[in-house]
């Protein structure tokens, strides 16, 4: 259909949809398909189900069943003769109970192949259709599989099940489709977490997520007709299992992105609550007005620096001056002489006459700080080199705010917090006392693939913004720019130099360099299909290859990079039919090293020695080809040998990369973590791929937008960091470093990375929806933040329509009409944003691009019947 024809048809259908009341807040849905899943369940009903919290009966097994005298735990039935209900008060060991006084203990000294699992089964739990999360606390000892003669993995030796029943309590078919490959799997079986262990000697009390499979499988969905479930936890293998604190709850993923944000939309954000990232400890002091409303003259606020300020302290002063002067701009525009501007005072702090100034910021170890000697809380920095305090003090008629860090970088972080407490449009500072330090010490993202100078400029602008969010490392990579990773172009070299210079001058960011010497290959290539040219371009034994790697890393190291990451992901060739059988691919390397782990250990050892000699103090990271547990599962045992032998040959300070149980790991628990950690003999460094997991728009290995039209409205273009991680996850990572994959060159990803900063700094206080609302409001204001969320709702509503039309689902005319309505809602939001945001704001162009892509998609799908009415 030509665009003019489509536009005419579109206007007609919009008019009809409007007349029918189909356009409301971007949440309208056609009649087709509304009787299935959460879409057919009223919002109030879903909210009520979520509010019930944990649905598991007697979750910590504390109560005795009142129904009989058997001594069964209330709400549970013990199945098997080796199941005990242990009681701390009756003599159970302290470590046999996780919560309260009781737990379940299953001890099987031997297990036969034909034996059923022994454990506990819950009573019937009433449910409504939807998605549910199931977790429990487990402790394990000496667990082996029940089919020892097969020499296999645990499989369902540790058995976790959710049985589905209809309204008459008749069992339902648990089969569901695995979206990748289309095979049927048993969705009631939640034993996948431990299934690929060979055995378990000791597993301490930990929270475990019971699940069927990994992303992109939609975990936790109940069959549509389910009205009751029963939970089962048991042991089919030999060994001992302790169970406590079972949690079965209605998931927040039963709500659309807009519904999840409803508690925050329209809610005022007080200055102390709006901070990104959220501080560890903060208390309000008072509101300070440093220039009265309507006045054009007055004492300017001062920013005091030490005698020899570090780059980070100078950056802190510039940031504060920028925020102060923005609020003072109306007074300057009134034509006063001299204009009222914030002053940065360096090296002469004794000349400051405090009684003539209403507001002073003291950055770092100034003479003013030593003179006034403000009381700082004991252990203020938490022993953390990036910790800081914000300490307000009244000195005469002046309000002095001391911004003191354990290091110059910490002082900048104090200033970044204080700057957010300065109002934009009033000369008011919301003074507060803050004691703070980050959880993750390394908080990083990826620089973009520079194709032109404008891309580099945008990245440098992004560095400034991300530093204010307290991210502190950006990686530049050669891979993916071109296949010629070994021949960096002039723009890449200039970009590395300029980025390094920016980092040195500002003192608040560190540069990292990534190199993948396999990037000239296709994705997971077959070794037998390689050309001679590709095969010999880089080999592990060739000194020329070593020199190439050194030269590429040297580009960054000479520019001041503090981290190098050697990548062996995604492009290492494999032998045979198994794509995860990564292998050496030249006769010379096979003769020299015998296997891949020896070759990689050689390369890492040589590079590490070179780096330590010429650039001491540099952090060294390595991404192995088997960087996810699922890859290990598919390696036919090769990955375990590789990781153990590699780790034994390389220095302990080399960080090994891990993405979790799969590539885009929306859920990580201690069972996932301990399996990988025990293989590599050190804590891994987590590489997070989840910012785009749910909504990645690909036709292969995508998320909801590929496989689940009913779930598309859960997606968010501005998806915050939103994965389940163990408590204190930062402490489990190598050096407390985290890398989140994505670039900060777009408006959308800048919002995403604001939430990353919020999580990485203070994991315990992090709430994804609250963090996203803070980021949107701070970037665009509350009215535009709300409109962005309405745009998102309409966008994924239109996306769902297109998915259903592509699948040929019934109700085509209704879907087309709904698509037109949602397209109109997108235009309505864009019009509102043009009025609310500054002219030529980049966000509008980005959102227009999303709108246009789906408009063209709908146009193509509607071509067979352009006039449905």
């Amino acid at each position: 259909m030509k665009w003019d024809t489509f536009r005419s048809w579109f206007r007609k259908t919009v008019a009809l949809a409007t007349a029918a009341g189909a356009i409301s807040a971007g949440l309208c849905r056609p009649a087709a398909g509304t009787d299935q899943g959460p879409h057919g369940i009223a919002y109030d009903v879903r909210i009520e189900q979520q509010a019930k919290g944990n649905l598991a009966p007697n979750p910590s097994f504390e109560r005795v069943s009142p129904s009989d005298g058997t001594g069964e735990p209330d709400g549970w039935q013990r199945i098997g003769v080796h199941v005990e209900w242990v009681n701390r008060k009756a003599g159970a060991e302290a470590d046999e109970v996780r919560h309260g006084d009781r737990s379940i203990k299953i001890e099987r000294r031997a297990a036969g192949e034909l034996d059923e699992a022994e454990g506990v089964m819950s009573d019937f739990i009433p449910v409504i259709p939807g998605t549910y999360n199931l977790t429990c606390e487990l402790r394990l000892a000496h667990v082996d599989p029940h089919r020892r003669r097969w020499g296999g993995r645990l499989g369902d030796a540790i058995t976790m099940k959710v049985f589905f029943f209809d309204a008459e309590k008749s069992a339902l078919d648990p089969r569901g489709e695995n979206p990748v490959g289309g095979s049927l799997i048993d969705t009631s079986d939640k034993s996948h977490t431990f299934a690929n262990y060979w055995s378990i000697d000791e597993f301490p009390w930990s929270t475990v997520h019971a699940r069927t499979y990994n992303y992109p499988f939609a975990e936790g969905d109940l069959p549509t007709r389910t009205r009751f479930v029963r939970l089962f936890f048991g042991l089919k293998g030999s060994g001992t299992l302790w169970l406590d604190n079972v949690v079965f709850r209605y998931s927040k993923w039963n709500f659309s992105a807009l519904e999840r944000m409803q508690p925050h939309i329209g809610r005022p954000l007080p200055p102390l609550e709006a901070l990104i990232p959220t501080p560890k400890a903060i208390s309000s002091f008072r509101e300070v007005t440093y220039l009265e409303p309507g006045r054009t003259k007055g004492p300017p606020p001062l920013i005091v620096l030490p005698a020899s300020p570090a780059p980070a302290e100078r950056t802190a002063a510039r940031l504060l001056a920028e925020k102060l002067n923005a609020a003072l701009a109306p007074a300057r525009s009134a034509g006063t002489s001299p204009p009222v501007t914030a002053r940065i005072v360096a090296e002469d702090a004794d000349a400051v006459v405090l009684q003539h100034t209403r507001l002073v910021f003291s950055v770092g170890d100034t003479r003013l700080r030593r003179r006034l000697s403000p009381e700082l809380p004991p252990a203020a920095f938490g022993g953390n080199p990036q910790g800081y305090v914000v300490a307000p003090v009244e000195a005469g008629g002046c309000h002095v705010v001391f911004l003191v860090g354990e290091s110059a970088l910490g002082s900048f972080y104090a200033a970044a917090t204080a700057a957010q407490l300065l109002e934009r449009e009033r000369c008011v500072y919301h003074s507060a006392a803050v004691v703070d330090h980050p959880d993750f010490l390394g908080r990083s993202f990826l620089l973009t693939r520079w194709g032109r100078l404008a891309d580099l400029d945008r990245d440098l602008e992004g560095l400034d913004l991300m530093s204010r969010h307290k991210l502190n490392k950006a990686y530049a990579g050669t891979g993916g720019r071109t296949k010629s990773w070994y021949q960096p172009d002039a723009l890449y070299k200039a970009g590395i130099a300029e980025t390094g210079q920016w980092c040195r001058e500002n003192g608040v960011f560190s540069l990292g360099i990534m190199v993948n010497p396999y990037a000239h290959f296709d994705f997971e290539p077959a070794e037998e299909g390689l050309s001679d040219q590709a095969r010999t371009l880089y080999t592990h034994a060739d000194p020329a290859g070593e020199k190439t790697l050194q030269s590429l890393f040297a580009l960054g190291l000479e520019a001041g990079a503090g981290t190098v990451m050697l990548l062996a992901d995604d492009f290492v060739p494999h032998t045979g039919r198994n794509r995860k059988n990564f292998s050496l691919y030249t006769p010379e390397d096979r003769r020299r090293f015998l296997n891949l782990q020896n070759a990689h250990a050689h390369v890492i050892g040589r590079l590490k020695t070179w780096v330590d000699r010429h650039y001491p103090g540099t952090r060294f990271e390595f991404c192995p080809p088997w960087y996810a547990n699922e890859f290990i599962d598919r390696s036919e045992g090769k990955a375990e040998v590789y990781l153990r032998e590699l780790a034994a040959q390389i220095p302990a300070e080399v960080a090994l990369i891990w993405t979790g149980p799969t590539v885009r790991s929306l859920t990580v628990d201690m069972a996932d973590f301990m399996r990988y950690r025990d293989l590599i003999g050190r804590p891994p460094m987590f590489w997070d791929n989840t910012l785009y997991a749910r909504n990645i728009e690909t036709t292969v290995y995508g998320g909801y937008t590929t496989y689940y039209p009913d779930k598309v409205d859960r997606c968010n273009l501005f998806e915050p960091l939103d994965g389940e991680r163990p408590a204190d996850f930062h402490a489990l990572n190598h050096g407390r470093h985290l890398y989140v994959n994505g670039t900060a060159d777009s408006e959308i990803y800048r919002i995403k990375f604001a939430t990353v900063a919020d999580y990485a700094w203070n994991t315990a206080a992090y709430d994804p929806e609250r963090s996203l609302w803070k980021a949107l409001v701070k970037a665009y204001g509350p009215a535009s933040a709300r409109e962005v969320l309405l745009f998102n709702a309409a966008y994924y509503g239109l996306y769902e329509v297109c998915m259903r039309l592509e699948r040929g689902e019934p109700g085509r005319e209704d879907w087309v009409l709904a698509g037109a309505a949602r397209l109109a809602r997108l235009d309505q939001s864009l019009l509102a944003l043009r009025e609310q945001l500054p002219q030529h704001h980049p966000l509008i162009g980005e959102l227009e691009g999303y709108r246009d892509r789906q408009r063209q998609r709908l146009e193509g799908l509607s071509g067979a019947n352009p006039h449905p009415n």
Side-chain angles (χ1 to χ4, degrees), residues 272-455:
L272 270 61
E273 291 184 26
L275 292 171
I276 297 178
T278 303
K280 293 287 197 303
I282 184 168
S283 58
S284 180
F285 193 81
R286 75 177 181 89
E287 185 178 286
V288 179
T289 301
Y290 52 93
L291 186 66
E292 297 294 340
R295 295 192 59 184
T296 59
K297 291 185 178 180
L302 299 180
I303 303 158
V304 180
L305 286 172
S308 299
E313 293 167 329
R314 291 188 182 277
T315 303
R318 290 194 298 270
L319 171 59
L320 291 166
E322 174 191 317
K323 296 297 294 288
L324 289 164
N325 288 333
L328 289 166
R332 293 200 305 275
S333 64
T336 59
S337 181
V340 181
T341 58
R343 290 176 55 208
I344 298 176
V345 181
E347 300 184 5
D348 60 346
D350 288 333
V352 176
V353 182
L354 296 180
Q355 59 265 34
H356 293 163
T357 304
R358 292 189 176 183
L359 180 62
V360 172
F361 290 103
S362 170
V363 181
D365 188 20
T366 62
R367 282 177 283 183
L368 181 63
R369 175 194 169 190
R370 294 192 291 275
R371 193 173 83 195
L372 294 181
S373 300
E375 289 189 14
L376 302 182
F381 310 114
N384 192 310
Q386 298 175 34
Y388 70 88
V389 296
V390 177
V393 171
E394 299 291 348
C398 178
H399 189 77
V400 184
V401 182
F402 291 97
L403 308 173
V404 184
E406 179 76 7
S407 63
L409 181 60
S411 296
F412 168 78
Y413 290 149
T417 296
Q420 294 180 71
L421 297 174
L422 288 162
E423 288 200 18
R424 295 180 181 179
E425 298 176 355
R426 293 196 306 157
C427 295
V428 170
Y429 174 65
H430 297 274
S431 189
V434 183
V435 180
D436 201 12
H437 61 272
D439 286 339
F440 282 96
L441 299 180
R443 306 173 295 278
S444 56
F445 65 96
L446 182 66
L447 296 170
T448 193
R449 299 165 183 171
W450 306 311
R452 50 182 185 156
L453 284 172
D455 298 333

Side-chain angles (χ1 to χ4, degrees), residues 550-742:
Q550 289 178 1
S551 66
L552 289 170
F553 283 128
L555 284 176
L557 293 166
E558 289 296 323
T563 302
V564 296
M565 184 187 291
L566 178 65
L567 298 166
D569 60 325
D570 297 342
F571 303 106
V572 177
H574 67 272
T575 57
R577 293 189 300 113
N578 185 348
R579 296 173 68 92
K580 296 298 184 283
N581 184 14
F582 305 115
S583 305
L584 296 172
Y585 49 89
T586 66
E588 180 184 5
D589 278 349
R590 291 191 187 103
R591 285 193 298 270
R592 173 79 177 274
F593 302 113
L594 300 179
N595 55 46
L596 192 60
Q597 55 267 36
N598 291 340
H600 283 166
H602 167 81
V603 172
I604 292 168
R606 298 277 296 177
L607 277 174
K608 182 75 167 59
T609 299
W610 171 78
V611 168
D612 289 347
R613 184 189 312 118
H614 297 286
Y615 308 96
T618 300
R619 178 175 167 85
F620 197 110
E621 300 162 350
F622 175 65
C623 182
W626 293 280
Y627 54 79
N629 290 6
E630 189 168 5
F631 289 6
I632 298 171
D633 300 343
R634 298 179 180 181
S635 73
E636 300 171 352
K638 188 171 182 177
E640 284 98 333
V641 176
Y642 168 94
L643 290 169
R644 287 193 180 98
E645 293 187 355
L646 174 75
Q649 297 180 69
I650 62 176
E653 63 267 24
V654 174
L656 295 177
I657 299 298
W658 179 57
T659 65
T662 190
V663 179
R664 301 170 195 153
S665 298
L666 296 173
T667 298
V668 175
D669 65 20
M670 288 302 295
D672 302 315
F673 170 81
M674 290 175 63
R675 183 171 172 222
Y676 195 81
R677 183 204 61 186
D678 292 349
L679 282 174
I680 65 175
R682 68 194 73 190
M685 172 184 162
F686 194 68
W687 172 312
D688 193 296
N689 286 315
T690 60
L691 285 183
Y692 50 87
R694 293 181 178 91
N695 67 346
I696 185 170
E697 297 180 10
T698 62
T699 57
V700 178
Y701 198 58
Y704 294 162
T705 51
T706 302
Y707 302 112
Y708 298 103
D710 275 337
K711 295 180 178 290
V712 170
D713 67 350
R714 279 63 157 176
C715 294
N716 198 329
L717 292 169
F718 298 85
E719 180 81 8
L721 189 71
D722 197 355
E724 298 180 65
R725 306 286 182 258
D728 297 324
F729 189 50
H730 57 283
L732 302 177
N733 275 259
H734 189 285
R736 290 165 60 183
H737 282 247
L738 170 72
Y739 170 74
V740 179
N741 199 18

Side-chain angles (χ1 to χ4, degrees), residues 431-481:
S431 189
V434 183
V435 180
D436 201 12
H437 61 272
D439 286 339
F440 282 96
L441 299 180
R443 306 173 295 278
S444 56
F445 65 96
L446 182 66
L447 296 170
T448 193
R449 299 165 183 171
W450 306 311
R452 50 182 185 156
L453 284 172
D455 298 333
L456 175 57
D457 292 339
R458 182 74 171 162
D459 256 350
L460 294 173
E461 177 188 285
L463 285 175
D464 183 57
L465 178 60
M466 293 301 105
S467 70
R468 299 179 185 201
H469 293 326
K470 303 179 186 175
L471 296 179
N472 63 354
K473 187 191 297 186
Y475 286 87
T478 57
R481 300 173 188 275

